[in-house]
Amino acid sequence: MSSNNAGRTVGSEMLDALGRAELGVSIVDLLSPNLAFQEVNERDLDESNVNNLIDAFVGPGGKQPWLSPMAVVVQPSWIVPSSLRQRGHPYSALARLELTEEGKKHKLKMLSGHHRKVACERLAAEIKTNLDNAIDDVAALKAKDRLTDKQNNRLDRLSETVTRLTGEWEWMKEYQVIVYDASESHLSLYTNASSHSSCRSHMDGIVQRS
């Protein structure tokens, strides 16, 4: 069998495996310690790619996490089923991925999204700094015995800023994911054997198209 045919066979098998293994879609907090990036599909960080993503996320249209969902593999017993939706639901109808008590003991292996995660992480850090500063300013004003009209107006504006930045911070941390059953044989091969370079190469492209 030629290398091209062999590649197509691996890719076809992996695509079939993804179809069998898909559990649903959900939303994750990219800063959650339960997510493990770079354990699978490890690659060097391309700073130019990260910077391009940052520009895209803050540019016209902003971040659109439903256009290119990340992929994560789990054991079904780790996930609360009600936190999953089937494809076709709008982003606003998706739920945050909820872990069972068993699931909280494990790392969820992310198959894709490392550069997007880093871009979101850096933007979220900037927002959080501004949020913390605004919260401190609100606390300082509230600690005063009496406020002038000017200070009351500033307090109102700062309170609105805190609400806005809190929403922006939460938004920047979240991303849509497709959740796959790690026990499916081809996925198990991919996520547990780094030496299978052909399988890994095809999976990398397939999860972006799935």
Side-chain angles (χ1 to χ4, degrees), residues 148-161:
T148 65
D149 289 344
K150 184 176 181 179
Q151 287 172 324
N152 272 315
N153 289 335
R154 182 166 184 261
L155 179 59
D156 289 341
R157 292 195 302 271
L158 282 170
S159 297
E160 291 174 358
T161 297

Side-chain angles (χ1 to χ4, degrees), residues 30 37 45 47 50 53-54 57 70 113-124:
L30 293 175
F37 288 84
L45 190 69
E47 287 291 344
V50 173
L53 286 167
I54 288 175
F57 291 165
M70 298 179 187
H114 184 227
H115 286 82
R116 282 169 285 164
K117 183 255 190 184
V118 172
C120 289
E121 187 175 45
R122 291 179 183 175
L123 288 170

Side-chain angles (χ1 to χ4, degrees), residues 47-62:
E47 287 291 344
S48 64
N49 190 7
V50 173
N51 291 332
N52 288 336
L53 286 167
I54 288 175
D55 290 342
F57 291 165
V58 299

